[in-house]
Amino acid sequence: MISSKNLRFYFKGREVKPAFIDPLDPEYLSMARHLIALYASHQGRKRGEVESSLRAYESYKTDYKIVRGLAELLEENQRARFVKVSPVDPLVLRRCIYSLAARSYPIVAEPDLVYRTTRHGVLEQAAREFSLTMDEVQAAMYTDLEENQILVEFDANIDPERLLHRYNLALAQGILYYAKEMRFYVASHYKTIFKFIKNRRLMHTISPAHAGGYLVKIDGRYSIFRHTILYGLEMARVLPALLLCPRWHLEADIDLSGYGFEGCLRLNHLSGLKTHYQEEREFDSRWEEGFAIKFEKSFGRSKKRDWVLRREDEIIDLKGSVLIPDFSLTHKDGRRALLEIVGFWTPQYLQRKMEKLCRAERNDIVIAVSKKLVCSVEDFSELRGELLFFSGNAPRINEVLERAERCAVK
Amino acid sequence: MESVILKFDAGVLILEGLEGLELAPFVRQDPRTGEWVAPAYRYLELVTFFSRRGIPFQDCAQSYNKDLNLRLSLNEEFRPYDYQIEALECWLEAGGRGTVILPTGAGKTYVALKAIEATSRSTLVVAPTIALMHQWYRHLARAFSIEVGILGGGEHQVKDITVTTYESAYRQVCKRYGNRFGLLVFDEVHNLPTQQFSHIPEMTIAPFRLGLTATYEREDGAHRLLGELLGRVVYRRTVSGLRGVQLSDYDTVLIRVELTPEERQEYESQSQIYFAFLRKNKLNPYLDWDKFIKLHGQDPEARQAGLARGRMLEIVAGAQNKMFKLGELLRRHAVEQTLIFTRDNASVYRISREFLVPAITHQTKALERKEILDRFASGEYRAMVASDVLNEGIDVPGASVAIIFGGDASQRKHIQRLGRILRRKKGKFAVLYEIITRNTLERTISWRRRQVEAYRGLLVPGLSKAATMVKDDLQQESALLF
């Protein structure tokens, strides 16, 4: 991400707009290529040298903030690794030098009648104590300073265009640092999105949208007591997950009172943003995958099919957390049931899952439990919905549909 | 009767089992979760509320140590002033809540240490800067012989007594450690009532709270918020009652040096670029500074002028003759404790390498900083070089000489720097030197920072006393300015 000081944005009425750059603009592409090459060529050199090369490259450019933003992104996620390289612990060496020097303070360049101890003499003595040369002593004295750390590794394997896309996204994220609350519409990738919301300890309010999908509002624990930008950084981390969806839009309340601005940020799938988050594996477990394949084989092409299978298309709001069942089954007459497949997991996972299923209080759900999980009907006595045990890779389709027939509702 | 369960999550108290019970007025239902909640700072009121009504409750919220059994050990010669003892008594009488207002240098730290001893709860001390945070770390470690935690400046250990900055507390404590402390101490508490920082007392449950400051009232009136979050002002003492006792006598001396011909040549060429731009655009470097900065992003010439100014400051900071003069001063005051201040970190390290004196910047970690300051205090180290980090509130009572090797135009910083050598010590006479380059930006910068109350009437008479080696052209400068 980019630090606040390197953000670029402008105001248009009540809206704040990130100053996006065109990722296909040859000028910026060449800037990106230059910076990647700059870092690559500075491996083994000090941070201070990287900085001065960057400053030299910026020269009189008025878009120096872009250069600095891109540099920050080239250093993120350990892409550029700076470490202290030193023959001795600089702290111990410094203590020794300061103490030696203090004994014959003040240290002078040329000895005179009063002050006989020279800088050279002290450093020589320190060099002897640490078995180093004079040059090494002088170099090692402050190896722990940021500017003296060495760029030991840089992963130059990044496409310039991707870097520019990352830059645009980082600008939008940067504005979200100042967000008090964020509202968005999504119609897919619920599990991924809510995983981020949960990991960042954000809180949600969900309502179904008319045309399918959901409107989600997120803010933080304390937000009900007062509006605050305390959770802006966390909200910024959710944005890349929204971008996985083919259709989405977002509106965030932004408090940039330092600029005398309060208003909103609006973005959607047409804003040209691209995510750097990885698309998750399509299925959480092989049981789900197995079932989807089976279903496809039996009904996929059949025109006679009564039921349509969809993945993770409903969010059950448990207030404070969510349950997103693995599948939904929709009958052509409009009835609908949910399907959750519980395969083999840790006991804690199973317990959490059971709690969630209980709290969901839904009758229209088929819960398919693997027989490999050593449990019995009694363990599920508190559950509503239809229970089904299966062996092998996936529950049998007929059995699932039979249960669905029983519990589906319009 | 089932008891109410009190839980804590990220700055919020959550109450379970309230059905059918009378609600405290500040408890409300969170529409997002259906839970009954209250902001963390209501903890004390909530617990009192339940106790008064005889409602049984189980407290799963509080997770701080309630009996640290601390014993304060201070230097044997130390005798607290009456007002320090009064201040503490007033705070305790107010239930261990509220703000104590004492002038700078009057010994607020002692009041805080006694408050920590008296409450013996896990304590968080919040300071405005990393340097001050490190200073609290030193004081606490010494006073209580206990391991002190640090949160901020790249360090992250939370212990029963922890020091932090407003910034780090806002980022970390609010969300993660709000139930970990029973006493909060806010140093320079006038920093607290902002949109962001007020989250710190709001999202913590600590029943005991102490604010310390010399300047309570804020121009924006936001200090009124402090009453609810911290308690009222419990003690106030003004500067007039203390003047004379606290500060040493001092002199100030201005030393001017020439740039070398090479330095001068480069300086002039950069200077032309810079001033030509200002003239062309009719900009005043002081009044139109924000406008000038804004132009950097639009006008390549403005950017070039800004970079030229940066280079001018670099030349001035690195001037060879300043280094030479600094060496002379260190010799002249070889038996005294000397503090050297610079404008930038690069100069700090250049001086440290040249004279082999310890350096402190924002990059110096707590342990090394403590070691350097301790050794300086004991007299083992006689000089120390720092940039802005030592300006504010750092106690170095032994120091009687300060050398301003470089600085900016801020009067506040200048007073703070001067304040470092004015800490009271018997028979102490302090000298503040400024080394500046002739006919450069530094002249105006130095003049601007010296236009402060403390200087009026002090600068000129003081000069004659200590300025034996200094040929000052004060008149020349005055002529330039008026």
Side-chain angles (χ1 to χ4, degrees):
Chain A
M1 303 231 261
I2 293 180
S3 49
S4 313
K5 63 175 191 294
N6 289 330
L7 291 178
R8 292 163 53 257
F9 50 78
Y10 57 94
F11 303 119
K12 203 170 171 186
R14 303 289 299 150
E15 254 187 87
V16 53
K17 305 259 191 192
F20 290 135
I21 55 177
D22 177 1
L24 297 175
D25 185 325
E27 196 186 320
Y28 293 129
L29 282 169
S30 117
M31 182 188 278
R33 263 192 296 275
H34 183 98
L35 291 172
I36 296 167
L38 188 152
Y39 272 85
S41 68
H42 279 66
Q43 287 178 86
R45 293 165 74 178
K46 291 180 187 173
R47 179 183 276 283
E49 296 176 59
V50 177
E51 294 291 334
S52 39
S53 297
L54 285 170
R55 293 298 88 81
Y57 174 65
E58 278 170 30
S59 171
Y60 302 140
K61 286 192 182 73
T62 47
D63 51 7
Y64 61 97
K65 278 192 183 176
I66 303 181
V67 176
R68 291 179 191 186
L70 291 172
E72 281 189 272
L73 296 173
L74 283 176
E75 290 188 22
E76 81 179 351
N77 299 331
Q78 296 281 305
R79 178 172 289 281
R81 215 155 56 82
F82 288 93
V83 297
K84 172 181 91 184
V85 176
S86 191
V88 290
D89 182 351
L91 196 75
V92 178
L93 176 64
R94 280 201 292 275
R95 184 187 295 137
C96 165
I97 292 173
Y98 296 156
S99 305
L100 286 173
R103 259 176 248 156
S104 30
Y105 176 85
I107 296 305
V108 293
E110 298 295 328
D112 58 26
L113 286 174
V114 191
Y115 303 110
R116 286 150 192 273
T117 314
T118 60
R119 183 171 178 277
H120 189 84
V122 171
L123 292 176
E124 221 166 32
Q125 201 176 336
R128 270 198 305 277
E129 283 190 28
F130 288 88
S131 313
L132 297 172
T133 66
M134 283 281 284
D135 285 345
E136 282 169 332
V137 165
Q138 297 194 54
M141 205 169 157
Y142 284 113
T143 37
D144 51 346
L145 293 186
E146 270 169 41
E147 58 263 39
N148 292 337
Q149 293 182 356
I150 307 291
L151 176 60
V152 289
E153 212 182 298
F154 176 71
D155 174 10
N157 181 25
I158 179 168
D159 176 53
E161 192 187 321
R162 272 192 63 159
L163 178 64
L164 298 183
H165 275 297
R166 174 73 196 99
Y167 178 79
N168 281 341
L169 176 57
L171 282 186
Q173 286 181 291
I175 294 172
L176 288 174
Y177 301 161
Y178 301 93
K180 294 186 288 193
E181 117 176 7
M182 175 165 130
R183 299 170 295 276
F184 56 83
Y185 165 83
V186 283
S188 62
H189 293 78
Y190 304 138
K191 274 197 180 167
T192 310
I193 292 165
F194 276 89
K195 194 181 81 190
F196 277 96
I197 292 174
K198 198 180 167 197
N199 283 351
R200 309 315 306 189
R201 305 193 68 192
L202 292 164
M203 302 192 66
H204 63 259
T205 309
I206 306 171
S207 50
H210 295 302
Y214 291 87
L215 292 165
V216 182
K217 182 181 100 178
I218 54 177
D219 52 15
R221 244 305 171 199
Y222 206 80
S223 307
I224 60 155
F225 298 112
R226 70 168 161 107
H227 293 300
T228 171
I229 58 165
L230 186 58
Y231 307 100
L233 187 65
E234 276 74 24
M235 292 186 210
R237 305 236 191 230
V238 176
L239 176 64
L242 303 187
L243 271 54
L244 295 169
C245 307
R247 286 170 58 82
W248 58 275
H249 58 79
L250 165 148
E251 187 176 84
D253 296 337
I254 304 295
D255 178 355
L256 275 164
S257 28
Y259 294 83
F261 173 87
E262 276 207 49
C264 69
L265 169 72
R266 289 200 185 101
L267 296 167
N268 60 40
H269 56 276
L270 302 173
S271 302
L273 292 173
K274 281 197 178 156
T275 187
H276 60 298
Y277 284 7
Q278 295 288 319
E279 184 92 37
E280 304 241 327
R281 277 186 49 227
E282 201 185 346
F283 293 100
D284 283 355
S285 71
R286 60 191 169 90
W287 290 275
E288 288 164 41
E289 193 172 359
F291 183 76
I293 292 167
K294 268 194 196 177
F295 195 92
E296 182 68 17
K297 270 188 194 155
S298 323
F299 291 101
R301 310 251 182 278
S302 156
K303 280 179 187 153
K304 292 184 293 179
R305 64 178 176 180
D306 293 331
W307 292 94
V308 177
L309 183 76
R310 289 198 192 89
R311 280 200 64 236
E312 298 171 5
D313 74 339
E314 181 165 340
I315 306 175
I316 301 174
D317 188 2
L318 301 176
K319 302 266 178 182
S321 62
V322 293
L323 175 65
I324 300 162
D326 299 321
F327 295 101
S328 74
L329 287 155
T330 311
H331 197 270
K332 59 184 179 192
D333 66 10
R335 284 178 304 133
R336 189 178 144 91
L338 297 165
L339 170 62
E340 177 72 11
I341 302 178
V342 186
F344 183 76
W345 285 99
T346 62
Q348 293 92 327
Y349 172 85
L350 186 62
Q351 199 190 341
R352 274 205 308 274
K353 178 72 74 184
M354 285 300 128
E355 270 171 24
K356 278 188 170 186
L357 285 165
C358 278
R359 284 176 54 203
E361 297 185 337
R362 293 278 290 252
N363 296 320
D364 57 340
I365 184 163
V366 180
I367 302 158
V369 182
S370 167
K371 281 184 181 159
K372 284 188 188 138
L373 289 166
V374 188
C375 43
S376 62
V377 184
E378 284 81 66
D379 294 322
F380 302 91
S381 56
E382 285 172 34
L383 285 187
R384 301 196 196 175
E386 293 287 326
L387 194 61
L388 160 72
F389 287 93
F390 69 91
S391 49
N393 281 338
R396 295 169 61 165
I397 290 174
N398 287 345
E399 290 182 27
V400 170
L401 292 183
E402 196 181 296
R403 302 299 202 288
E405 280 292 351
R406 258 188 253 161
C407 71
V409 290
K410 270 203 178 171
Chain B
M1 190 153 128
E2 290 249 340
S3 63
V4 175
I5 298 173
L6 196 55
K7 290 184 177 172
F8 182 83
D9 179 43
V12 174
L13 292 161
I14 302 166
L15 296 99
E16 291 177 4
L18 281 181
E19 290 78 14
L21 290 177
E22 183 192 352
L23 287 178
F26 44 79
V27 172
R28 54 192 285 196
Q29 194 169 27
D30 188 333
R32 301 166 303 181
T33 60
E35 293 160 325
W36 291 93
V37 293
Y41 73 95
R42 299 285 195 177
Y43 173 74
L44 184 63
E45 285 166 88
L46 205 56
V47 169
T48 317
F49 180 87
F50 290 138
S51 306
R52 290 229 175 101
R53 282 165 179 72
I55 302 170
F57 68 95
Q58 194 188 330
D59 188 348
C60 306
Q62 187 261 100
S63 82
Y64 53 80
N65 199 327
K66 274 173 131 168
D67 188 13
L68 286 178
N69 200 12
L70 295 169
R71 282 286 159 271
L72 187 58
S73 64
L74 296 167
N75 186 338
E76 283 184 8
E77 287 163 32
F78 181 84
R79 295 280 172 276
Y81 289 100
D82 291 345
Y83 62 80
Q84 288 174 312
I85 296 166
E86 279 167 32
L88 181 79
E89 281 169 358
C90 291
W91 181 75
L92 287 171
E93 268 170 38
R97 292 171 76 87
T99 295
V100 167
I101 307 175
L102 285 176
T104 311
K108 291 188 287 278
T109 309
Y110 174 78
V111 178
L113 294 177
K114 288 303 276 185
I116 296 169
E117 185 189 36
T119 51
S120 270
R121 299 293 196 280
S122 304
T123 300
L124 182 73
V125 177
V126 189
T129 63
I130 289 178
L132 279 171
M133 172 184 85
H134 284 139
Q135 167 149 310
W136 277 101
Y137 171 83
R138 280 174 73 220
H139 279 306
L140 292 163
R142 211 166 30 197
F144 295 117
S145 322
I146 188 176
E147 246 196 286
V148 174
I150 304 179
L151 198 59
E155 303 184 58
H156 195 142
Q157 314 105 31
V158 172
K159 300 219 162 69
D160 274 327
I161 293 188
T162 298
V163 294
T164 185
T165 61
Y166 283 89
E167 196 60 44
S168 298
Y170 168 65
R171 301 250 167 254
Q172 306 280 351
V173 175
C174 292
K175 291 181 214 162
R176 299 173 62 182
Y177 304 111
N179 59 346
R180 185 69 184 76
F181 301 99
L183 167 63
L184 302 176
V185 176
F186 293 99
D187 188 16
E188 311 291 347
V189 71
H190 52 274
N191 288 290
L192 186 65
T194 66
Q195 280 287 324
Q196 266 79 58
F197 294 162
S198 54
H199 274 305
I200 307 162
E202 277 179 335
M203 296 175 73
T204 37
I205 66 170
F208 301 106
R209 292 156 186 236
L210 170 64
L212 299 169
T213 180
T215 50
Y216 185 70
E217 282 77 17
R218 288 169 56 109
E219 279 175 24
D220 61 6
H223 54 277
R224 286 184 210 104
L225 285 173
L226 291 176
E228 189 180 5
L229 297 174
L230 242 60
R232 61 189 171 82
V233 173
V234 293
Y235 190 82
R236 183 195 288 262
R237 189 82 180 229
T238 55
V239 73
S240 58
L242 301 167
R243 188 177 288 155
V245 198
Q246 296 298 323
L247 300 182
S248 318
D249 272 340
Y250 70 99
D251 255 342
T252 60
V253 180
L254 193 64
I255 300 173
R256 292 184 166 77
V257 298
E258 298 287 352
L259 292 177
T260 63
E262 298 79 38
E263 287 165 352
R264 174 58 68 188
Q265 199 186 354
E266 201 199 341
Y267 184 89
E268 289 306 328
S269 68
Q270 299 293 336
S271 166
Q272 268 173 20
I273 299 171
Y274 173 57
F275 285 108
F277 178 83
L278 292 185
R279 271 195 302 274
K280 185 174 151 198
N281 294 279
K282 297 192 173 59
L283 290 174
N284 176 314
Y286 295 102
L287 302 177
D288 306 320
W289 186 248
D290 289 345
K291 199 170 155 196
F292 180 50
I293 293 293
K294 210 177 161 198
L295 282 174
H296 280 32
Q298 300 158 9
D299 179 354
E301 278 186 24
R303 179 94 180 105
Q304 197 170 356
L307 291 172
R309 183 176 181 278
R311 184 67 198 127
M312 285 156 76
L313 289 172
E314 268 173 32
I315 295 167
V316 161
Q320 272 181 35
N321 285 332
K322 273 178 132 182
M323 234 18 185
F324 181 74
K325 197 55 93 177
L326 176 62
E328 272 184 19
L329 288 179
L330 291 180
R331 281 197 212 198
R332 164 169 300 265
H333 292 284
V335 292
E336 281 151 295
Q337 299 273 109
T338 304
L339 288 172
I340 307 160
F341 293 105
T342 72
R343 182 186 173 109
D344 56 318
N345 288 334
S347 301
V348 171
Y349 290 110
R350 209 170 44 245
I351 290 167
S352 170
R353 283 174 185 279
E354 181 66 28
F355 298 103
L356 304 181
V357 294
I360 294 184
T361 68
H362 70 282
Q363 286 200 49
T364 314
K365 292 268 184 290
L367 272 178
E368 187 183 17
R369 194 184 289 245
K370 179 176 181 302
E371 181 181 298
I372 292 172
L373 289 169
D374 285 348
R375 290 185 182 198
F376 186 81
S378 77
E380 185 192 338
Y381 294 159
R382 260 169 291 174
M384 198 161 71
V385 56
S387 51
D388 277 342
V389 298
L390 284 192
N391 291 355
E392 210 176 331
I394 297 295
D395 275 327
V396 274
S400 57
V401 180
I403 303 171
I404 312 285
F405 188 80
D408 58 27
S410 157
Q411 297 172 1
R412 182 180 54 87
K413 281 188 198 168
H414 196 62
I415 295 185
Q416 286 166 343
R417 286 176 164 191
L418 177 64
R420 289 320 100 220
I421 54 166
L422 297 185
R423 292 282 156 137
R424 181 187 50 132
K425 209 176 184 187
K426 218 178 167 188
K428 184 170 118 177
F429 188 81
V431 191
L432 175 93
Y433 290 97
E434 262 190 79
I435 313 178
I436 66 168
T437 45
R438 252 179 231 275
N439 296 318
T440 65
L441 284 176
E442 262 190 322
R443 184 173 54 198
T444 334
I445 293 171
S446 159
W447 180 80
R448 282 168 59 89
R449 67 175 168 245
R450 281 180 282 117
Q451 301 313 298
V452 285
E453 205 61 43
Y455 265 91
R456 303 223 167 102
L458 281 170
L459 176 64
V460 180
L463 207 59
S464 54
K465 279 187 252 165
T468 44
M469 59 172 278
V470 183
K471 232 174 69 204
D472 202 320
D473 44 0
L474 193 73
Q475 275 185 327
Q476 186 195 325
E477 170 144 64
S478 307
L480 263 164
L481 291 162
F482 297 106

